[in-house]
Amino acid sequence: SRGLGDVYKRQEWYRPGMDHFALMDEVDALLQAILECPEAEKISYADVFKRELDIDSLEATDAELLNSLQANQVDVPEGFADQRTVLLQLLMDACIEPNIGQNRPTMIYHFPAEQAALSKISSVDPRVAERFEVYYKGFELANGFHELTDVNEQRQRFEKNLQQRQGEGVELPALDERFLAALSHGIPDCAGVALGVDRLMMLALDTDRICDVLAFSVENA
């Protein structure tokens, strides 16, 4: 899952020999063809935080992130004041996403390394992951990675995530051994993306109701 939510349908595809930048260009061309929109803005995670909030997202302290949340009147859930990833996501959700991708799609790339998920860590700057997300008119449209191919590193990430979830007292999913087994057989260097098809169709048809783009509603499925 690429994090677009269970309500929406996702279409995933992978491109051997491509990195995340090349795949961003392909997604950009697809959006222009379907939505007749302008070329996307492409900006790094660090640069968009600097532009919108005047924060160095890679070096700011937890206290500085909390101060920015307070200044923007964003509530922090109890128990998360010292969890950097949560603080950054709150700032992204409340203070950045509403201001980007309104007149043309915005592609944000090089998320902090702790948000790498299934993507590679940059060999140029180990503080960031080779991952991108696409936003347009209030929708998160796509989530893409320069895919991590190292099974040992992926296992370590899964195990770390389980430890974090255990510390938060939430349900622990089973480790995805089938995925890890497949990864152990090796995959070529590639980039992959998940695109929210229903969201794309909603934009194409200029509707804010998902039922307008579904053949059958959930109740009638």
Side-chain angles (χ1 to χ4, degrees), residues 81-116:
D82 60 348
Q83 296 196 27
R84 182 180 188 81
T85 298
V86 174
L87 301 180
L88 287 170
Q89 192 59 53
L90 287 171
L91 287 168
M92 174 67 81
D93 292 345
C95 306
I96 294 179
E97 287 185 18
N99 298 324
I100 61 174
Q102 295 303 316
N103 298 316
R104 59 174 175 156
T106 294
M107 297 185 171
I108 297 178
Y109 62 90
H110 285 175
F111 279 66
E114 58 267 26
Q115 299 182 39

Side-chain angles (χ1 to χ4, degrees), residues 2 14 118-120 145-149 187 189-193:
R2 302 288 186 168
Y14 299 82
L118 304 178
S119 66
K120 291 184 175 182
F145 304 144
H146 189 188
E147 300 288 337
L148 177 64
T149 58
I187 62 172
D189 184 61
C190 65
V193 65

Side-chain angles (χ1 to χ4, degrees), residues 55-69 81-84 87-88 91:
I55 288 177
D56 184 339
S57 60
L58 299 176
E59 300 294 339
T61 65
D62 288 355
E64 289 171 329
L65 297 178
L66 284 168
N67 286 339
S68 184
L69 287 163
D82 60 348
Q83 296 196 27
R84 182 180 188 81
L87 301 180
L88 287 170
L91 287 168

